[in-house]
């Protein structure tokens, strides 16, 4: 008898995400948003619940819509990256595949530059701004990750599609998380 094909996908963030207290937190400004993404990446490493990557989606009023951390091994899913997790959760929360389809301004803040997969996902997710901590070369120098190929002018490609990009926000802090992950052996991403 053949096994039935799966008809549902279930991905989860670690339980510590449910304990995040966002009350009274001020996420105005690009650095505050990236600092939060870096905080998520650090907590993921410290809890050994995934790789050293964190991301958060913010609305135009600087409110957190959704967060994501790397869950590839824990979920047996190669697309369970921080950015894709945050984008998918935001889409589910708002019940729309293009987050900014109603004219709302949406921001994706990441602890590290999106890999080729997350770069592609940002085109169609409906974000207006992408805020980045560490660069891809930092990720590859400090960890075992291969970030994959991007177009030579990847920032220009995003900007041509209406997505403003800010890089190197709190880059040393983001690199510190990558370094600590690498020093721990990086076996739990």
């Amino acid at each position: 008898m053949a096994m039935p094909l799966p008809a549902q996908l279930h991905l989860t963030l670690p339980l510590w995400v449910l304990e995040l207290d966002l009350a009274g937190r001020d996420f105005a400004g690009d650095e505050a948003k990236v600092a939060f993404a870096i905080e998520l990446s650090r907590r993921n490493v410290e809890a050994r619940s995934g790789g050293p990557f964190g991301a958060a989606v913010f609305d135009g009023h600087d409110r957190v819509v959704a967060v994501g951390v790397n869950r590839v091994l824990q979920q047996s899913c190669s697309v369970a990256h921080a950015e894709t997790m945050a984008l998918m959760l935001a889409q589910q929360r708002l019940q729309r595949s293009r987050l900014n389809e109603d004219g709302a301004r949406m921001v994706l803040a990441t602890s590290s530059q999106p890999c080729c997969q997350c770069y592609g996902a940002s085109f169609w997710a409906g974000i207006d701004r992408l805020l980045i901590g560490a660069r891809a070369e930092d990720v590859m120098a400090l960890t075992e990750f291969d970030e994959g190929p991007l177009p030579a002018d990847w920032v220009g490609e995003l900007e041509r599609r209406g997505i403003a990009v800010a890089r190197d926000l709190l880059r040393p802090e983001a690199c510190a998380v990558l370094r600590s992950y690498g020093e721990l052996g990086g076996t739990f991403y």
Side-chain angles (χ1 to χ4, degrees):
M1 175 184 267
M3 288 183 53
L5 293 173
Q8 182 175 337
L9 179 63
H10 183 76
L11 298 174
T12 61
L13 293 178
L15 291 177
W16 59 260
V17 170
L18 299 174
E19 300 167 357
L20 290 171
D21 182 7
L22 302 181
R25 300 231 2 216
D26 181 7
F27 295 111
D30 294 352
E31 285 194 356
K33 291 173 181 67
V34 172
F36 182 54
I38 293 168
E39 175 187 332
L40 294 168
S41 70
R42 181 182 42 74
R43 288 198 60 177
N44 210 35
V45 170
E46 289 171 354
R48 293 184 176 254
S49 52
F53 305 103
V57 175
F58 296 87
D59 67 15
H61 302 286
D62 302 317
R63 293 180 300 228
V64 176
V65 176
V67 302
V69 292
N70 178 281
R71 299 286 287 161
V72 169
L73 290 183
Q74 293 75 11
Q75 301 291 294
S76 300
C77 182
S78 63
V79 299
H81 291 196
E83 297 91 340
T84 55
M85 294 292 283
L87 292 168
M88 289 186 296
L89 287 164
Q91 290 163 333
Q92 289 296 296
R93 181 176 185 186
L94 300 176
Q95 289 296 291
R96 55 184 187 245
S97 60
R98 270 200 79 74
L99 295 170
N100 61 0
E101 74 182 20
D102 67 352
R105 304 290 295 164
M106 303 302 284
V107 176
L108 175 63
T110 67
S111 61
S112 296
Q113 177 181 318
C115 68
C116 59
Q117 168 189 273
C118 298
Y119 168 77
S122 10
F123 284 160
W124 296 288
I127 61 168
D128 301 288
R129 299 193 67 228
L130 174 61
L131 310 176
I132 303 168
R135 292 181 175 223
E137 54 262 33
D138 301 328
V139 173
M140 293 188 291
L142 297 169
T143 71
E144 301 276 330
F145 293 102
D146 176 358
E147 296 297 271
L150 291 177
D153 185 22
W154 64 272
V155 172
E157 288 295 328
L158 287 170
E159 290 176 343
R160 277 186 281 290
R161 293 172 181 262
I163 302 170
V165 178
R167 299 172 69 192
D168 299 333
L169 298 164
L170 303 174
R171 185 177 178 191
E173 292 87 341
C175 286
V177 175
L178 296 169
R179 187 174 297 105
S180 86
Y181 177 81
E183 290 167 357
L184 289 171
T187 58
F188 50 92
Y189 65 88

